[in-house]
Amino acid sequence: MGGKPRWTTFIFLIVSVLSAVGASAQKDSFSKDNPSWVQPFPAFKIAGNLYYVGSQDLAAYLIVTPQGNILINSNLESSPPQIRQAVESLGFKYKDTKILLISHGHFDHCAGSAQIKRETGAKYEVMAQDIPVVESGGHNDFNYSSRESFWFPRTKVDRTLHDGDTVSLGGTTLTAHLTAGHTKGTTTWTLDEQDNGRTLHVVIVGSPNVNPGYKLVNNKTYPQIAADYKHQFEVLSKLPCDIFLGAHGGYFDLHEKYERFKKGDTNAFIDPAGYKAYIADRQEAFEAELKKQSANKH
């Protein structure tokens, strides 16, 4: 990939700028009203039985099987109608959602889970380390527990997942990889898709980003955070990847690839080089932040 990738400027959170004169409170640097998070995006087939049903930047994925469907990510509390419209625009039934999965327990990826469970009866399956956050509605998040804007409807989990567990339905099997750091249970999903006689390895990255304000050194609420990030990059760097996807469209250049896809490039989302470059870039950013924080402790 020539030049510096467009997504290197993408950061899940943008630091809010405080006025020189003390402000009474810091406004959250990202919002449930973020236009790219709430604006619909055309639903489309990625490969095989895998479809995109998210918004312009909050990614959600539908996997269609003869025994019902799997949905990855419920996004914002306001997102279920958008996801439902996307699913139905493809000709599928929203109520055929049998299993609901998430990338991690932040409100922009799991706040809609309670409503989707209620409307579809889907079985909610979540990585063990994120269950306390999901079931408390964000009230015990290691970094955001005191910030009301990060809270979301509490949602009961039906199955506890662990690293390496599989989720299977109707002949499709996904593997859950614990890639913690961003949250204690951040999950990267992998599956194989059969498309035009090819077997394509799909990687849906949970999140490798270090949010502004994260303490990587002497973090009392998450002591092993730095070690977890290091382990995450070890895992991600070894995953075979043909189709590179993620929890946000910005991770994998959704818009640019979709434009190519619309023009007939059926291989637009096959991007093993882009995957490797993205993971390397995020690892470099993590290591730089860890070095900076470590130096400030001396």
Side-chain angles (χ1 to χ4, degrees):
M1 296 178 66
K4 195 157 181 68
R6 188 179 303 115
W7 39 252
T8 57
T9 60
F10 174 85
I11 303 175
F12 174 45
L13 297 173
I14 303 171
V15 179
S16 293
V17 179
L18 296 177
S19 62
V21 179
S24 60
Q26 180 176 351
K27 184 178 179 180
D28 290 331
S29 55
F30 72 113
S31 164
K32 297 176 177 65
D33 299 320
N34 182 324
S36 68
W37 288 10
V38 298
Q39 289 298 318
F41 192 81
F44 66 97
K45 178 179 177 177
I46 299 170
N49 62 341
L50 174 64
Y51 298 81
Y52 187 86
V53 292
S55 67
Q56 288 188 2
D57 185 59
L58 291 183
Y61 303 95
L62 184 73
I63 299 165
V64 177
T65 88
Q67 295 177 12
N69 305 328
I70 300 170
L71 178 65
I72 302 177
N73 289 334
S74 62
N75 298 344
L76 302 171
E77 189 174 354
S78 63
S79 295
Q82 177 268 312
I83 292 172
R84 178 173 187 160
Q85 191 280 329
V87 170
E88 293 178 347
S89 75
L90 293 165
F92 303 118
K93 295 180 180 179
Y94 174 67
K95 289 192 174 182
D96 284 344
T97 304
K98 303 300 182 185
I99 298 174
L100 175 61
L101 309 173
I102 58 171
S103 58
H104 57 276
H106 280 159
F107 76 84
D108 51 327
H109 305 288
C110 72
S113 293
Q115 182 174 341
I116 290 175
K117 274 195 68 177
R118 189 166 57 249
E119 293 176 339
T120 68
K123 185 179 178 182
Y124 196 24
E125 306 188 8
V126 176
M127 191 67 75
Q129 292 86 339
D130 265 359
I131 289 178
V133 176
V134 166
E135 292 195 334
S136 72
H139 287 258
N140 63 358
D141 183 279
F142 78 88
N143 196 68
Y144 301 119
S145 61
S146 63
R147 293 174 66 174
E148 186 175 353
S149 60
F150 282 72
W151 299 345
F152 50 86
R154 302 169 189 259
T155 312
K156 178 65 177 175
V157 173
D158 301 299
R159 179 191 173 193
T160 299
L161 299 174
H162 301 92
D163 186 30
D165 279 354
T166 58
V167 174
S168 297
L169 184 69
T172 294
T173 296
L174 298 94
T175 300
H177 303 269
L178 178 61
T179 49
H182 189 73
T183 67
K184 294 180 180 181
T186 296
T187 306
T188 292
W189 293 99
T190 60
L191 69 154
D192 285 346
E193 284 291 348
Q194 302 301 318
D195 192 72
N196 295 323
R198 303 173 295 179
T199 298
L200 299 173
H201 303 302
V202 180
V203 179
I204 305 173
V205 177
S207 179
N209 295 307
V210 179
N211 285 359
Y214 273 21
K215 290 182 64 176
L216 300 178
V217 179
N218 297 333
N219 189 325
K220 293 181 180 179
T221 57
Y222 191 176
Q224 75 276 20
I225 185 170
D228 279 357
Y229 268 110
K230 290 177 182 178
H231 178 259
Q232 171 178 182
F233 289 114
E234 290 175 2
V235 171
L236 293 176
S237 65
K238 294 175 182 177
L239 292 177
C241 178
D242 297 308
I243 295 178
F244 166 33
L245 304 170
H248 285 268
Y251 292 4
F252 58 97
D253 288 338
L254 167 65
H255 292 219
E256 185 271 336
K257 288 175 180 174
Y258 180 70
E259 288 303 314
R260 286 164 42 201
F261 172 83
K262 282 200 306 182
K263 294 176 182 177
D265 183 358
T266 57
N267 295 323
F269 289 89
I270 298 177
D271 189 14
Y275 173 76
K276 289 182 181 298
Y278 176 74
I279 299 308
D281 176 82
R282 294 295 83 205
Q283 182 171 7
E284 181 181 341
F286 158 72
E287 291 173 349
E289 182 62 23
L290 179 61
K291 182 178 180 180
K292 174 182 162 186
Q293 292 189 24
S294 298
N296 289 340
K297 292 296 178 181
H298 298 292

